[in-house]
Amino acid sequence: MTTTTWNRRHILSLADFTPDEYDTVLQTATSFWEVLGRRTKKVPALQGQVIANLFFEPSTRTRNSFELAAKRLSADTLNFAPGTSSLTKGETILDTAKTYLAMGTDMMVIRHREAGVPLAIAAEMDRLGTAVAILNAGDGQHEHPSQGLLDLFTICRILDPEKPRIDLLRGKKIAIVGDILHSRVARSNIWSLTATDMELHLAGPPTLLPKPFETLGRDRPGKLVLHWNLQEALADADFVMTLRLQKERMTAHLLPSLREYHQQYGITSDRLKSCRPGVKVLHPGPVNRGVEISSELMDNPDFSLISQQVTSGIAVRMALLYLIGVGRGR
Ligand code: NCD
């Protein structure tokens, strides 16, 4: 396993990740990718550590992926379901976290519909002088760092499966299309993808891609460009990431109709013709088939990396739990 040093305990955001940290995650995930291809897919690295999955919001991929990653590292896992927990009796989120702390939990993986909840719990754990690590598994519209890292791993593995690393993005053009306003995935990806000298093009209707997003590109090594016209974003793109329309987070009527949205911003095989040959398509899932991406393109293995993203997620989350968990032991 990798010998690279790792000093981060909580993973709350990718905003301050360094290129070295990205490379450490990519390199560690590559080792675990290899482990996951073996007959015996389990390693004893985190034996005896307790990892609690505190998902206050629905999830299929992220929750199961973190759980499987923890199990593959031989950690003990605790799962929390808000509907059947003491939250229903009025317990606060901080008190729930302290209950898991009292049980000897070493790492808490937290998803919540409000931005900042994982940060608040991390601050409380630090204030109490504990060594508990907090991993943000998606907080409101803020960030989803493990998704950003698994997307990065998936992209870099296409460019060099043996040695995925951040500088492979140099000179590449990547387009992120759709509901950027409500997307924590987009925000985490903006940080990771602009960490090197590349071009990140964001495209969506003005109601879902407001102008202030431009400011996120300030002082980044990569170039960030906004488009309200899809074709400009797709021209010569090496990768296209499309995002789910987050209907549950839309408070106003931001779109005329789903049909019209698909006509203007839906990704289809035909639309990819202006991209670079070999272009690949990503989507964090869950997908609204026929809205942000055509059903046919989603299922086309020549273009779609959607299933690979899910598989990558396990190796990347193993890497994160391992880097933090082994650090805790030092
Ligand atoms: C995303 C999420 O929950 O932020 N999904 C995921 O974790 N794979 C994106 C979404 O909900 O559209």
Side-chain angles (χ1 to χ4, degrees):
M1 199 50 60
T2 174
T3 52
T4 325
T5 53
W6 180 264
N7 296 316
R8 197 178 281 268
R9 176 147 56 92
H10 308 303
I11 299 184
L12 301 169
S13 159
L14 297 184
D16 61 349
F17 254 60
T18 63
D20 273 354
E21 285 179 302
Y22 286 116
D23 280 344
T24 303
V25 172
L26 296 174
Q27 186 193 335
T28 312
T30 304
S31 310
F32 286 124
W33 181 272
E34 187 266 314
V35 169
L36 292 171
R38 291 186 202 155
R39 203 144 59 94
T40 307
K41 297 175 170 55
K42 229 168 154 130
V43 291
L46 297 189
Q47 220 157 31
Q49 294 209 27
V50 179
I51 300 178
N53 276 320
L54 309 184
F55 280 62
F56 298 89
E57 195 198 69
S59 168
T60 302
R61 279 156 266 271
T62 308
R63 197 187 63 72
N64 285 300
S65 176
F66 265 113
E67 184 175 355
L68 190 55
K71 287 184 163 149
R72 294 283 194 236
L73 293 166
S74 306
D76 295 317
T77 54
L78 295 173
N79 278 308
F80 160 90
T84 55
S85 77
S86 290
L87 276 188
T88 58
K89 301 180 185 170
E91 184 171 74
T92 67
I93 291 170
L94 278 184
D95 284 337
T96 301
K98 283 185 211 164
T99 305
Y100 280 93
L101 170 67
M103 286 183 201
T105 299
D106 299 288
M107 294 187 235
M108 297 183 197
V109 180
I110 298 173
R111 167 171 289 195
H112 199 279
R113 60 195 290 270
E114 298 297 336
V117 169
L119 173 65
I121 297 178
E124 181 65 6
M125 291 298 141
D126 292 349
R127 193 187 64 79
L128 293 171
T130 79
V132 170
I134 305 297
L135 286 94
N136 178 5
D139 63 329
Q141 298 175 23
H142 174 230
E143 278 214 49
H144 192 347
S146 65
Q147 180 73 40
L149 293 168
L150 79 86
D151 291 338
L152 182 69
F153 181 69
T154 309
I155 289 172
C156 292
R157 273 198 88 248
I158 292 291
L159 300 170
D160 184 350
E162 301 297 317
K163 206 165 175 282
R165 56 198 186 278
I166 189 105
D167 71 6
L168 292 167
L169 295 179
R170 250 174 232 283
K172 299 289 179 209
K173 173 171 175 179
I174 301 183
I176 302 184
V177 180
D179 184 359
I180 303 203
L181 176 65
H182 299 102
S183 177
R184 52 196 177 206
V185 175
R187 284 174 180 76
S188 289
N189 270 293
I190 289 171
W191 296 130
S192 57
L193 297 175
T194 58
T196 190
D197 178 19
M198 53 79 70
E199 282 188 25
L200 182 59
H201 293 248
L202 306 181
T207 46
L208 299 180
L209 177 58
K211 196 115 172 75
F213 268 88
E214 247 165 20
T215 57
L216 297 180
R218 268 190 212 144
D219 303 324
R220 303 290 294 165
K223 183 172 158 199
L224 188 72
V225 191
L226 265 56
H227 303 273
W228 296 323
N229 173 317
L230 178 62
Q231 282 313 323
E232 289 169 13
L234 296 188
D236 297 321
D238 298 280
F239 294 91
V240 177
M241 181 183 299
T242 163
L243 300 169
R244 184 174 69 90
L245 270 188
Q246 312 243 328
K247 286 177 258 171
E248 77 282 13
R249 297 206 183 113
M250 288 187 193
T251 47
H253 296 283
L254 298 174
L255 293 171
S257 74
L258 294 183
R259 214 173 122 255
E260 202 165 314
Y261 177 81
H262 182 69
Q263 276 168 3
Q264 282 191 43
Y265 295 99
I267 305 297
T268 61
S269 307
D270 205 40
R271 288 231 155 102
L272 294 180
K273 287 186 179 137
S274 63
C275 299
R276 283 263 160 78
V279 62
K280 300 287 181 205
V281 177
L282 297 99
H283 189 306
V287 175
N288 296 303
R289 277 182 183 264
V291 180
E292 60 264 4
I293 182 168
S294 69
S295 208
E296 161 272 320
L297 179 60
M298 178 179 168
D299 295 331
N300 186 338
D302 292 339
F303 294 101
S304 171
L305 297 178
I306 299 174
S307 299
Q308 286 183 48
Q309 285 172 276
V310 176
T311 312
S312 296
I314 303 165
V316 168
R317 290 176 176 124
M318 282 175 83
L320 298 178
L321 296 174
Y322 172 86
L323 288 166
I324 296 171
V326 167
R328 282 172 49 88
R330 272 200 293 267

